[in-house]
Amino acid sequence: MEITFNIADKFQSFLRTFRSEDGSFKYREQLLQIASLGLKSIKVSFIDLRIYDEELAIYAQRYPSRVLPELEKAAFDQLKVEARDYAEKIRKINVRFKDLIETFPLRKICVDHLGQLVQFEGIIVRATAVHPLLIKATFACKVCGHISESIPQEESTAIATPTICPNCKKSSWKLLEDRSEFINYQELRIQERPEDLPPGQIPRWIDIVVTDDLVDTARPGDNVVVTGIVKAKPQILPGRGGLRIFNLTVETNNIEVKGKEPEQIEITVEEEERIRKIASDPGIYEKLKASIAPAIYGYDDIKEAIVYMLFGGVPITVGGNQIRGDINILIIGDPGTGKSQLLQYVHRVAPRGLYTHGRGTTAAGLTAAVVRDKGGAMALEAGALVLSDRGVCAIDEIDKMRPEDRVAMHEAMEQQTVSIAKGGIVATLNARASIIAAANPAFGRYDPLRTVADNINLPVSILSRFDLIFVLRDKPDKSLDARIAEHVLMLHSTRELPEAPPIESEFLRKYIAYAKRINPKLSKEAMERIRDFYLKMRALSESSGSPIAITVRQLESIIRLAEARARAALRDTVTVEDTEAAIRLMGATLEQVGFDIASGKIDIDIIMTGKPKSMRDKLQLILSVVSKLEKENGMAGKDDLVKILEEEYGMDKTESVKLINQMLKEGTLYEHRPGFLKKTM
Ligand code: ADP
Ligand code: MG
């Protein structure tokens, strides 16, 4: 290609003369700002450049490696005009492009683009630590001390030395670090965003190189737009040199973090009209509910909860404390009750939805991990919750979660961040996601005589971070079975839903994205209603001296649910009806999971400590009788113990045996001799 004009001159006159719509000199002003803020790069809109000179823009895009150095020279010359002192101080300015005309899907980038400037979007899944990269080296000859200055270091991974010393004709060099030039260097891995993924495909990724002032401007989990030059990087095998197969990488020219707003779903004027019309329908909640996983029969409460989760409550920051608005849902249920299907549905309809397994699908699992790269460098890799930041994370079989994730989950679910400090990498990543999780019961089937915590292989501290917990039990029930069978047979024979969902999922996505712009506030009446409910429940537990019925966590959950309900109807005020609905739903799930079968009271302690208060009382009682017997005889005979419990305290024999066995299993008691028990210290 022959370039018949002077690139630098043209670009400098662009910077000097380009005016934005309001008539201001856009780039001259930017240069002044760069000088006053101490920045190192000028950001140029490609749209502006095309308007100014289409030919120059096309050259820049096709032959960036040749054109960019010229542009940088020009930008530097103009910086000298605007702010001479600053220009002399930094000696070089980067030209970074944004708003290219075309944004490629990440999976389309291939050899066709080698050497060109392209723009694509994705999510950062991995970041290495920042390393110094040598760009200009100064060497001293080890034999005669001759100095060889400013040897440019090109793309090769090895340091380029002069061949022989011009003075003594030897070739033994020592790098003088303090007289060489380094820049910051970092590698990032960009993966297709979940929402861009063709159905059923595994996300592709591409490694990019960022240098200088671009390092650490974006973190794993961030949605970014990358502009860069596509390069083929040789794979080097130790001792065998380069392979014929190269890796595609991108030398980053610019990286912009997107997604300060929740979703970038485009909504047309007509669609907006339809959204407003549906929202004002009095039957809106029924319609929304009926649109959730229509192929799954029943589960009204769960579907209602899913509706609220999709819309979400309003996050707040007060006095430096963040309180999440996201609603977390857990479904524990017998196998084959449609849990996985529900989750699959949610991840498809939710803007930024992600579906994963408890084990996670990558090395990073659910939260984040520090992994060792092929080259031995440490890299931070984002897990599922970080990748679904500002979206919904559907976690199937959460009970199979890896031990490493268990610890990090606590933070992720309440503070909505994931912190990691390992292998020299210290970072806190955002994980502002709603979680819908499913779990199978620990004993294969849900045992209603045990507590939720016993039924699921998860620590109570994680359980208590779910706003709503549902139990799906597969009990034979004649009329329900008949209706489900009817429904499933119908689906299979007609291949169609009995009735079309009132809101199709594509449109529901848009509806949700639109509604999320609204941040409803509690009305005075709604506030009173919630307060009354909370105080009444607390007083109830006080007066009966019984289990604590409800805690501040549930109070916050009710607020979130009510806010979500208001959002769903595009209202900016939370009404009493919203709170009533939230309280009803909360009550319904509490009954399923927190209902203390023995005392007949709702008992949050079951979720919190894993044992209903009445059971803890009984365990306490058994322990005290064991102590008494131990004091008298050195140890407690099992038969005596059961007899005393039955005769003096009226405890049923089968129950006391069951509890004693449980305590033996837990290790609170141990069998000193067959038939004789002792308390573990
Ligand atoms: P789980 O994850 O709870 O073990 P799945 O989601 O894999 O169960 O469901 C098993 C199958 O049963 C799926 O094909 C699902 O469509 C069907 N199924 C279960 N419950 C229902 C229901 N209530 N209505 C319609 N189909 C159902
Ligand atoms: Mg399943």
Side-chain angles (χ1 to χ4, degrees):
M1 178 215 39
E2 201 61 51
I3 297 179
T4 51
F5 53 86
N6 186 320
I7 296 172
D9 282 354
K10 254 196 178 173
F11 190 63
Q12 194 177 348
S13 67
F14 162 74
L15 294 178
R16 196 175 53 234
T17 61
F18 187 85
R19 287 171 188 254
S20 46
E21 271 163 22
D22 60 6
S24 60
F25 290 106
K26 186 169 170 182
Y27 294 104
R28 295 179 62 178
E29 279 171 19
Q30 207 192 119
L31 285 167
L32 283 173
Q33 220 173 23
I34 286 168
S36 68
L37 296 177
L39 305 178
K40 297 167 87 175
S41 303
I42 179 167
K43 295 209 170 174
V44 176
S45 159
F46 217 75
I47 299 173
D48 293 348
L49 188 64
R50 267 179 75 117
I51 293 173
Y52 182 81
D53 188 329
E54 175 130 24
E55 202 182 14
L56 178 58
I58 290 172
Y59 278 137
Q61 197 169 356
R62 274 203 207 138
Y63 311 103
S65 304
R66 272 170 64 185
V67 176
L68 272 170
E70 298 286 320
L71 302 186
E72 284 175 359
K73 229 182 325 179
F76 184 71
D77 284 342
Q78 192 57 32
L79 181 65
K80 273 198 294 207
V81 177
E82 310 293 344
R84 174 165 284 279
D85 289 350
Y86 186 68
E88 271 161 15
K89 200 173 118 207
I90 64 168
R91 303 216 308 277
K92 178 185 185 314
I93 183 164
N94 303 306
V95 175
R96 307 210 182 276
F97 281 115
K98 55 179 195 184
D99 308 332
L100 259 65
I101 309 302
E102 193 177 5
T103 301
F104 284 100
L106 196 151
R107 59 175 59 223
K108 289 275 153 55
I109 293 175
C110 61
V111 283
D112 296 351
H113 305 111
L114 276 183
Q116 296 185 15
L117 193 68
V118 296
Q119 177 172 297
F120 58 93
E121 290 179 353
I123 183 164
I124 301 183
V125 291
R126 179 190 271 205
T128 64
V130 176
H131 297 281
L133 174 76
L134 182 66
I135 50 169
K136 268 190 196 143
T138 295
F139 298 96
C141 175
K142 279 190 188 163
V143 183
C144 68
H146 174 82
I147 301 285
S148 226
E149 245 169 322
S150 297
I151 314 285
Q153 302 292 314
E154 298 289 301
E155 277 149 44
S156 158
T157 39
I159 296 177
T161 57
T163 37
I164 52 165
C165 174
N167 187 29
C168 68
K169 308 290 187 251
K170 297 274 176 359
S171 58
S172 176
W173 298 99
K174 181 178 183 296
L175 178 71
L176 300 178
E177 276 148 42
D178 51 346
R179 293 175 65 178
S180 301
E181 215 176 295
F182 291 88
I183 52 169
N184 285 324
Y185 172 96
Q186 184 180 33
E187 284 179 31
L188 302 176
R189 178 166 292 175
I190 314 287
Q191 185 173 299
E192 279 176 295
R193 295 180 303 174
E195 59 261 45
D196 296 338
L197 203 58
Q201 298 269 9
I202 294 170
R204 298 257 179 94
W205 48 258
I206 194 163
D207 283 329
I208 69 168
V209 167
V210 295
T211 51
D212 207 6
D213 53 345
L214 287 184
V215 303
D216 276 346
T217 51
R219 294 180 292 175
D222 282 347
N223 258 304
V224 290
V225 183
V226 177
T227 315
I229 307 172
V230 181
K231 295 261 160 129
K233 187 169 126 193
Q235 301 186 33
I236 312 277
L237 278 189
R240 284 212 283 152
L243 300 181
R244 266 177 71 202
I245 303 166
F246 285 58
N247 284 335
L248 217 53
T249 73
V250 170
E251 196 181 288
T252 308
N253 169 259
N254 192 19
I255 186 165
E256 303 261 328
V257 179
K258 287 201 354 174
K260 297 294 175 228
E261 71 277 22
E263 300 86 18
Q264 290 84 24
I265 291 181
E266 280 187 23
I267 296 163
T268 64
V269 180
E270 294 87 60
E271 282 167 342
E272 185 173 339
E273 236 166 67
R274 186 174 163 212
I275 290 173
R276 299 205 152 271
K277 191 150 158 274
I278 297 180
S280 58
D281 186 326
I284 172 69
Y285 298 108
E286 283 308 314
K287 284 195 168 160
L288 285 169
K289 218 157 70 176
S291 308
I292 301 292
I296 297 286
Y297 184 84
Y299 301 149
D300 268 18
D301 283 349
I302 296 187
K303 288 183 178 179
E304 184 175 341
I306 290 176
V307 169
Y308 298 153
M309 182 195 70
L310 289 172
F311 287 93
V314 183
I316 52 167
T317 319
V318 269
N321 270 8
Q322 296 235 7
I323 302 175
R324 69 182 156 97
D326 293 304
I327 295 165
N328 298 328
I329 301 176
L330 175 66
I331 307 171
I332 309 174
D334 292 341
T337 43
K339 301 182 299 294
S340 298
Q341 291 282 356
L342 279 169
L343 260 57
Q344 288 276 6
Y345 176 85
V346 171
H347 114 268
R348 278 197 305 268
V349 70
R352 296 206 71 185
L354 194 132
Y355 177 89
T356 183
H357 187 270
R359 290 242 152 235
T361 32
T362 62
L366 296 179
T367 52
V370 170
V371 294
R372 197 175 281 278
D373 251 359
K374 269 195 304 243
M378 295 301 225
L380 174 61
E381 195 167 303
L385 282 175
V386 175
L387 298 185
S388 40
D389 183 34
R390 290 188 178 276
V392 174
C393 191
I395 309 173
D396 208 350
E397 317 216 347
I398 192 174
D399 46 321
K400 313 236 167 25
M401 180 162 57
R402 304 177 315 165
E404 303 91 286
D405 280 333
R406 290 195 176 221
V407 181
M409 270 304 260
H410 293 101
E411 181 195 346
M413 291 186 71
E414 206 63 66
Q415 277 72 48
Q416 301 205 298
T417 53
V418 171
S419 303
I420 197 153
K422 219 176 177 180
I425 292 181
V426 180
T428 297
L429 307 174
N430 285 321
R432 292 157 295 186
S434 311
I435 298 173
I436 179 164
N440 289 314
F443 314 103
R445 291 201 148 248
Y446 196 86
D447 179 355
L449 292 176
R450 293 176 198 251
T451 62
V452 193
D454 281 347
N455 262 298
I456 181 175
N457 188 10
L458 272 185
V460 180
S461 44
I462 287 184
L463 282 185
S464 66
R465 284 168 162 84
F466 284 98
D467 297 88
L468 298 169
I469 301 180
F470 292 93
V471 175
L472 285 185
R473 291 184 52 209
D474 188 13
K475 283 182 298 198
D477 168 338
K478 232 189 203 152
S479 82
L480 182 65
D481 289 346
R483 276 177 285 146
I484 293 184
E486 180 71 20
H487 178 85
V488 172
L489 287 169
M490 170 84 114
L491 293 184
H492 281 261
S493 62
T494 63
R495 311 269 153 97
E496 262 172 40
L497 292 169
E499 31 191 303
I503 307 172
E504 67 277 21
S505 28
E506 233 357 87
F507 189 68
L508 184 57
R509 247 176 115 108
K510 295 197 171 170
Y511 188 118
I512 295 166
Y514 186 83
K516 283 210 167 185
R517 301 175 188 171
I518 297 164
N519 290 326
K521 282 215 179 76
L522 290 170
S523 68
K524 219 168 130 235
E525 298 77 34
M527 244 153 38
E528 268 163 27
R529 179 70 187 87
I530 297 176
R531 187 192 306 121
D532 287 353
F533 171 76
Y534 178 70
L535 294 180
K536 203 172 95 204
M537 295 303 281
R538 295 287 290 190
L540 204 73
S541 57
E542 200 183 2
S543 66
S544 58
S546 76
I548 296 176
I550 194 167
T551 72
V552 187
R553 272 229 169 93
Q554 279 73 41
L555 180 69
E556 284 180 351
S557 296
I558 290 175
I559 297 172
R560 280 193 275 273
L561 291 166
E563 284 170 347
R565 191 175 183 274
R567 251 186 185 169
L570 305 183
R571 268 184 282 111
D572 48 21
T573 326
V574 178
T575 62
V576 176
E577 291 86 74
D578 294 331
T579 54
E580 294 290 352
I583 289 171
R584 188 204 68 79
L585 190 62
M586 169 70 75
T589 67
L590 282 181
E591 249 173 69
Q592 279 178 22
V593 302
F595 202 72
D596 181 353
I597 296 158
S599 76
K601 288 221 170 58
I602 290 179
D603 182 358
I604 289 301
D605 272 14
I606 300 185
I607 307 176
M608 293 303 189
T609 66
K611 291 195 182 90
K613 185 156 185 293
S614 59
M615 186 193 284
R616 268 185 315 170
D617 289 347
K618 282 177 190 157
L619 296 176
Q620 214 59 54
L621 176 69
I622 295 176
L623 276 181
S624 68
V625 177
V626 171
S627 308
K628 204 175 106 217
L629 288 173
E630 254 186 70
K631 232 179 251 155
E632 289 166 10
N633 319 321
M635 58 188 98
K638 210 169 172 182
D639 296 337
D640 292 344
L641 178 62
V642 174
K643 209 165 125 205
I644 292 173
L645 286 171
E646 188 173 13
E647 284 172 3
E648 290 180 22
Y649 300 97
M651 196 188 278
D652 181 58
K653 201 173 152 194
T654 43
E655 189 182 12
S656 55
V657 170
K658 189 181 138 206
L659 290 177
I660 291 167
N661 285 339
Q662 189 185 327
M663 289 164 86
L664 280 168
K665 212 169 77 191
E666 282 175 0
T668 339
L669 295 176
Y670 70 98
E671 211 155 5
H672 188 65
R673 263 195 292 132
F676 290 90
L677 308 173
K678 267 188 155 182
K679 244 169 53 174
T680 315
M681 281 300 131

